[in-house]
Amino acid sequence: MSSPIRASRCRARRILVTGGAGFIGSHLCERLLARGDEVLCVDNFYTGSRENLHGLLDHPDFELLRHDITFPLYVEVDQIYNLACPASPVHYQFDPVQTTKTSVHGSINMLGLAKRVRARILQASTSEVYGDPEIHPQSEHYWGHVNPVGRRSCYDEGKRCAETLFFDYHRQHGLEIKVARIFNTYGPRMHPDDGRVVSNFIVQALRDEPITVYGDGAQSRAFCYVDELVDGLMRLMDAEASITGPLNLGNPAEFTIMELAQKVIALTGSRSRIVRRPLPPDDPRQRRPDITLARTLLDWQPQIALDEGLRRAIPYFERLVTRGGLAPAGAAAA
Ligand code: NAD
Ligand code: UDP
């Protein structure tokens, strides 16, 4: 009789995670390894870091490859999670042409790879495909309200084109695809300087610096804790082939940005005050996922409330702030 270790190794799949050194990608790599898969993490370290993979680098089933997915990649894998793409407005607007290339050329390269090795491939799409939505909450049937020539377009339209490519490879080449539309996700390993609202507010609060609310703070978002999002991605990938998506993954509990600021101040015991800053162009006014499909098809439903998730995330940022060396929070924004 084979040992349990041998048996589990026989079942091990070789899984490529692009963008695996980023915030969500590093959590995904960790979970896949814990499940017994072999993981090939590909990243160009544009926003990700080796530090995010601390603890995985010595794992015998983990391999890290520095590579930009806008260039072809030749590897043998069973599944591909395509997460490579900067996700924070500050970073994706820094080099917008590269952002579009990553979504479009990168997807073509990863789809070509999937086609050659007959791998199942999942695209990390985004709620940004809905733009500044005219219907609320957003369901997968809604086609969106996106400015094609604005500052967010490199990200929004790049991700929309990637979805088109995924579905055309599916229809034209019979590829097994999965498209997840991820809503705002937060947790440990978010880049402290990347300008996203949760990381900005926590770091500002921990330093008793002003909390920068853009606009009047009445715009809303729905925040999902990273562990639950990763669980949703893995369920979607492993669901039967007919479940292609697009599928919303996010926590439907909706908060205004002002409410988030107040929660962060309360949970950190901060002396920070709230200050107003101009609202960035094309900033969506409201966002909340309709997750009926994910609930029905994947039996997936986030359980971690925002307060609890923030409590889990804050110690990570506390360690960074205590260690020092961070640029002033939000410095990269504006
Ligand atoms: P992140 O910036 O932390 O991670 C992205 C990773 O991709 C980084 O490690 C970066 O170095 C890498 N990368 C970027 N361009 C690359 C390229 N050309 N080749 C190889 N690697 C490249 O962002 P994240 O929050 O972890 O997001 C991961 C994915 O999920 C992204 O595709 C993003 O669009 C999507 N998403 C995230 C959120 C969220 O709230 N975090 C919401 C919607 C969608
Ligand atoms: N935001 C804010 N202060 C900050 C950073 C962001 O008020 O310091 C706002 C931003 O204008 C947006 C919301 O918070 O309305 C979420 O921003 P984020 O960049 O995290 O995500 P996205 O806009 O892509 O959903």
Side-chain angles (χ1 to χ4, degrees):
M1 200 169 77
S2 63
S3 75
I5 294 171
R6 281 183 69 100
S8 81
R9 289 202 65 81
C10 290
R11 285 198 306 274
R13 283 167 298 187
R14 195 163 156 73
I15 302 191
L16 168 61
V17 180
T18 78
F23 160 50
I24 297 175
S26 60
H27 287 274
L28 176 62
C29 289
E30 207 169 4
R31 288 278 292 279
L32 293 169
L33 286 170
R35 187 174 76 172
D37 293 321
E38 292 176 16
V39 174
L40 171 60
C41 167
V42 163
D43 205 295
N44 69 352
F45 299 117
Y46 181 62
T47 51
S49 67
R50 288 173 68 90
E51 215 165 51
N52 282 341
L53 300 168
H54 182 76
L56 305 188
L57 293 169
D58 292 334
H59 195 294
D61 292 330
F62 183 75
E63 200 179 338
L64 174 61
L65 178 66
R66 180 191 286 263
H67 174 82
D68 183 328
I69 63 157
T70 62
F71 296 96
L73 177 68
Y74 294 91
V75 291
E76 307 302 317
V77 290
D78 305 308
Q79 289 185 347
I80 304 169
Y81 287 86
N82 189 36
L83 271 61
C85 187
S88 130
V90 171
H91 285 145
Y92 70 64
Q93 290 169 20
F94 178 75
D95 187 349
V97 173
Q98 173 67 11
T99 299
T100 304
K101 278 188 187 170
T102 294
S103 280
V104 178
H105 293 191
S107 290
I108 290 172
N109 288 330
M110 293 308 104
L111 286 160
L113 168 62
K115 180 172 160 233
R116 182 176 65 79
V117 300
R118 302 310 299 173
R120 181 176 280 199
I121 180 165
L122 180 146
Q123 167 66 356
S125 190
T126 166
S127 55
E128 294 285 333
V129 300
Y130 300 123
D132 191 2
E134 299 140 306
I135 65 149
H136 195 70
Q138 294 78 53
S139 84
E140 293 84 350
H141 305 297
Y142 179 50
W143 290 354
H145 179 229
V146 177
N147 176 357
V149 294
R151 293 203 181 274
R152 294 175 86 103
S153 313
C154 58
Y155 185 70
D156 302 7
E157 296 289 22
K159 290 284 189 179
R160 285 168 68 95
C161 183
E163 288 199 8
T164 307
L165 286 162
F166 269 68
F167 277 88
D168 282 335
Y169 268 78
H170 175 60
R171 284 185 287 256
Q172 197 174 333
H173 299 297
L175 225 63
E176 286 193 12
I177 61 150
K178 307 279 178 178
V179 174
R181 288 184 178 157
I182 302 171
F183 283 64
N184 294 64
T185 300
Y186 69 100
R189 300 195 203 128
M190 286 183 91
H191 199 295
D193 290 332
D194 77 2
R196 278 185 275 189
V197 68
V198 174
S199 44
N200 262 12
F201 284 4
I202 294 178
V203 173
Q204 289 165 341
L206 290 173
R207 292 168 156 170
D208 293 324
E209 287 173 358
I211 307 273
T212 53
V213 167
Y214 301 161
D216 60 6
Q219 70 272 33
S220 69
R221 295 292 187 274
F223 300 98
C224 186
Y225 191 70
V226 64
D227 290 354
E228 301 199 303
L229 186 273
V230 166
D231 180 53
L233 291 177
M234 289 168 66
R235 282 180 192 231
L236 176 58
M237 177 63 106
D238 294 330
E240 61 184 71
S242 62
I243 301 175
T244 58
L247 208 78
N248 288 341
L249 291 179
N251 189 325
E254 182 183 358
F255 297 89
T256 67
I257 294 307
M258 191 59 84
E259 286 171 332
L260 175 70
Q262 285 155 353
K263 272 185 190 303
V264 169
I265 289 173
L267 288 167
T268 52
S270 174
R271 284 177 282 130
S272 293
R273 62 195 173 87
I274 292 172
V275 296
R276 301 272 181 82
R277 293 285 178 265
L279 191 67
D282 297 331
D283 198 279
R285 275 164 297 128
Q286 53 181 7
R287 205 182 281 142
R288 171 156 68 96
D290 177 335
I291 60 162
T292 310
L293 267 184
R295 211 185 282 124
T296 314
L297 298 175
L298 307 181
D299 191 23
W300 180 82
Q301 160 108 41
Q303 308 289 340
I304 300 176
L306 182 56
D307 282 79
E308 171 57 20
L310 291 172
R311 262 186 224 108
R312 293 187 193 192
I314 286 167
Y316 169 77
F317 293 97
E318 265 168 352
R319 283 194 294 278
L320 292 182
V321 169
T322 316
R323 213 169 57 188
L326 291 179

